Amino acid sequence: MAPLKNDRFLRALTGQSVDVTPVWMMRQAGRYLPEYRATRKVAGDFMSLCQSPEMACEVTLQPLRRYPMDAAILFSDILTIPDAMGLGLYFSEGEGPRFRKTVRTEQDVEQLPVPDIARDLSYVTDAVSLIRRELNGSVPLIGFSGSPWTLATYMIEGSGSKDFRHAKEFMYNHPELMHQLLDKLAQTVTAYLNAQIAAGAQAVQIFDTWGGILSTGAYQTFSLAYMKKIIAGLTREADGRKVPVIVFTKNGGLWLEQIADSGAHCVGLDWTIEMGRARAMIGDKVSLQGNMDPTILYSSPAAIRSEVERILASYGEGNGHVFNLGHGITPGVDPDNVAVFIDAVHELSAQYHR
Amino acid sequence: MSSQPSTTAELIARYGPAGLDIDRLAIVSLGANLPSRFGPARATLARAADQLSTLSAWPVVLSPIIETEPVDCPPGSPPFCNAVAVLDPGESVTPMEFLQSLQAIEADFGRVRSGRVNEARVLDLDLICFGHQQCRTPALTLPHPRAAQRDFVLQPLAVIWPEFRLPGS
């Protein structure tokens, strides 16, 4: 395997010194890029794009051809796991992800198979190997998975939801069943992330997109506990290097101290919390990733630069910051504004690393 | 950064099963002789190839860069660096839209079109072919009317796509 030329991202995750703050964007291989839209169109549908290692590799690399980002992230979807459990994932135009089957009864949970990653999700690990080879050591590759709670919400609802009525109802009415489901998912996610690491992922991120809809107490019991369990079971080192883990709970700002105790190396932040405040709370334990509001990318280059500067200043001097958006980049952003964003992070952060 | 396919055959072998359509491939010739903000002509072409990848659904096949003495150029023009790129513009792009994207890249690299024929320039992107399409309008002729006479197009193209024949020839 080619030696890593740019390891800023991995160094920052583990609190080591860097010359400038590393930066990448959640959903950086996405619809805002015309070349992504072209490949997506040729692929036919979103799942075909995910399931072809060649195409997944191509769209993973597209943003890196345009911008000097410090990490690549596997192009895939968090819902590959429930799909491999036989729920039948599909994407209807304009409606987001949907499942043909849902999980609503004791029987549904018990009959849910634990997927064999090597058999059912080899398209993901094949993509990881291919991307790692094609990156040729230019930047590290991030693997990822959805959190058990987040996956469970989709499996119970059968789609995205505004109020998560069915998922919460299931949790409150059948807590033991919910734990049984989450346990199955945690085992699968652990094996899934370890398979990605074995295939070449150099860091992993757990996306807890819907942890923030839970009440305090329920979050710790039904979301965080299972992420902890996963982290405890992950491969710690690969190629003689630590494999850092990032946990990102959207709207998790209220529970930062507990997230920082999860065993993760890095805590992902959405834009609702002040970066400096988060650092004061947990910066001695973990590194921080985030947290610019992605909507700022619709504004002017001057506004983007000043927001980058504000967040860098809020974090202050020293190590342990990976710059990112507070959530995924949205489809309508002008690709030129992304260039302004990435360049601003590198240019304006040097003064904080002297 | 990544290992790009070195020939069109390799591109098709890799991405054909995924949906790449050989009948849709576009050929662009790249030329430069003045230095740009990216450095000498050779560096400019490498950066221009990166930009071309933003117009392509798949990796771009880029030929080796060749150096040629200027043809039909004002006296004293520095030698030209030339290359040819093969790419897939995707399903929904028209030749005119694609041409406008090429011109936007030229403009971004600092090219000023003076109207003089074959003047020295920081970057020249010519659309040689767009699939099998043939057309003749004031803005665009396909395939490029002088491609068949240009060694600096045919020679690098033969390296990356020896099987290719210009439509209508």
Side-chain angles (χ1 to χ4, degrees), chain A residues 9-23:
Chain A
F9 169 70
L10 294 180
R11 292 180 64 84
L13 283 178
T14 50
Q16 293 169 276
S17 64
V18 287
D19 55 343
V20 294
T21 302
V23 56

Side-chain angles (χ1 to χ4, degrees), chain A residues 5 34-36 38-39 41-43 52 54-55 57-59 61-62 64-66 133-136 138, chain B residues 1-4 14-15 18-21 24 50-51 53-59 88-92:
Chain A
K5 292 176 203 104
E35 58 269 36
Y36 170 88
T39 309
K41 186 137 198 244
V42 174
S52 151
E54 289 75 20
M55 286 195 270
C57 174
E58 167 57 18
V59 295
L61 300 178
Q62 283 172 347
L64 298 155
R65 296 197 189 109
R66 282 183 183 248
R133 198 177 73 215
E134 293 290 312
L135 282 170
N136 197 24
S138 53
Chain B
M1 43 160 295
S2 64
S3 66
Q4 305 262 313
R14 231 199 265 181
Y15 298 101
L20 177 144
D21 184 354
R24 206 168 47 218
D50 285 347
Q51 289 300 308
S53 75
T54 70
L55 307 180
S56 181
W58 311 107
D88 178 0
E91 282 179 315
S92 45

Side-chain angles (χ1 to χ4, degrees), chain A residues 35 58 62 65, chain B residues 2-8 11 14-15 20 25-28 30 45-46 48-63 84-89 98 160:
Chain A
E35 58 269 36
E58 167 57 18
Q62 283 172 347
R65 296 197 189 109
Chain B
S2 64
S3 66
Q4 305 262 313
S6 54
T7 64
T8 304
L11 178 80
R14 231 199 265 181
Y15 298 101
L20 177 144
L25 294 178
I27 299 171
V28 176
L30 301 81
L45 288 198
D50 285 347
Q51 289 300 308
L52 285 180
S53 75
T54 70
L55 307 180
S56 181
W58 311 107
V60 171
V61 186
L62 183 68
S63 74
V84 165
V86 174
L87 57 92
D88 178 0
F98 189 72
I160 56 172

Side-chain angles (χ1 to χ4, degrees), chain B residues 70-84:
Chain B
V71 181
D72 304 332
C73 285
S77 301
F80 268 85
C81 282
N82 286 99
V84 165

Side-chain angles (χ1 to χ4, degrees), chain A residues 245-323:
Chain A
V245 183
I246 307 161
V247 166
F248 173 60
T249 293
K250 182 140 183 284
N251 286 313
L254 287 173
W255 311 306
L256 286 188
E257 286 100 338
Q258 288 157 305
I259 300 173
D261 282 334
S262 64
H265 302 83
C266 178
V267 173
L269 304 171
D270 66 46
W271 60 87
T272 57
I273 187 153
E274 175 69 23
M275 183 52 85
R277 176 145 176 262
R279 188 183 189 187
M281 287 165 75
I282 58 172
D284 55 334
K285 284 193 190 139
V286 288
S287 53
L288 300 175
Q289 177 174 277
N291 68 343
M292 191 172 92
D293 183 347
T295 317
I296 289 166
L297 293 175
Y298 287 106
S299 65
S300 67
I304 294 166
R305 282 177 66 88
S306 104
E307 184 62 8
V308 166
E309 173 61 56
R310 193 186 67 75
I311 293 167
L312 288 170
S314 175
Y315 188 86
E317 285 185 6
N319 310 315
H321 182 201
V322 172
F323 215 108

